[in-house]
Amino acid sequence: MKSLILKDFYNISHNAKSMFLILLVFAVAFLPTSGVQGYIFTCAILCSMMIVTTFSFDEHSNWPLYAMVMPVSKKDIVAGKYFVLFAFSLIGIIFGLVVGTAGNVIAESFSRPPEEIASISPLLSALLALSFSTVFGSISIPLAIRFGTEKGRILVLASFLIPAGICYAAYRLLTALGINITEDFITALLYASPIPALLWNYIMYKLSCALFLKKEL
């Protein structure tokens, strides 16, 4: 498993400088208006999307076919992708927190982000960013396995609507049940967001395993 993770990190290292440059550009563009909290989200989601790039490297090098002659199973390969996804998201959060905090000192001299954004604690921002980025990234893995990286990239953009639709449906259900949605209730749900995110990732992992086991290499 460790080797599978290191393989993806080594391959993606060639794109690391470009990604960091993009994140720095986004810092200049978004920090003055969205603050550190919004920038953490941006970094986490952009970094999580690099998981599709690792599939692209695998396809061009015929890695899945070569991997089958090694002492690793298809489930190990899929599990490695989800570990890498988590690591990418975590790196994005740390980068966003460090660069965002430093850049926010400069940005505040020009303008301040909206109070409703600035009031969100860094811990809550990190939890939400980790939850959302891994949820979005986890959808891209079965899509890349089933349709390939090129079609998968296009479908990933559309798949972002799936979690949004589920959240909206949950909101409508709570409203229909007469549950009072207060600020404290929303805050509690946000802090608990890693739990449904873990469940979602587990479901996507099982789906990815099923698709990869059926795939002819």
Side-chain angles (χ1 to χ4, degrees), residues 4 7 58 61-72 77 217:
L4 294 173
K7 181 265 299 179
D58 289 347
S61 62
N62 290 321
W63 160 252
L65 186 61
Y66 176 72
M68 290 299 96
V69 301
M70 302 178 67
V72 293
I77 295 175
L217 301 177

Side-chain angles (χ1 to χ4, degrees), residues 102-152:
N104 196 49
V105 176
I106 302 174
E108 283 187 346
S109 62
F110 297 96
S111 61
R112 292 180 177 272
E115 292 184 1
E116 60 271 16
I117 296 178
S119 62
I120 302 176
S121 69
L123 174 60
L124 179 56
S125 298
L127 285 175
L128 289 175
L130 184 62
S131 299
F132 277 85
S133 61
T134 53
V135 164
F136 291 144
S138 69
I139 299 174
S140 65
I141 294 177
L143 289 176
I145 292 174
R146 176 63 179 83
F147 300 103
T149 54
E150 297 305 320
K151 291 182 179 180

Side-chain angles (χ1 to χ4, degrees), residues 196-212:
L198 283 173
L199 178 60
W200 178 271
N201 274 268
Y202 179 74
I203 294 173
M204 291 295 102
Y205 164 72
K206 285 294 187 181
L207 175 61
S208 298
C209 287
L211 291 173
F212 197 45

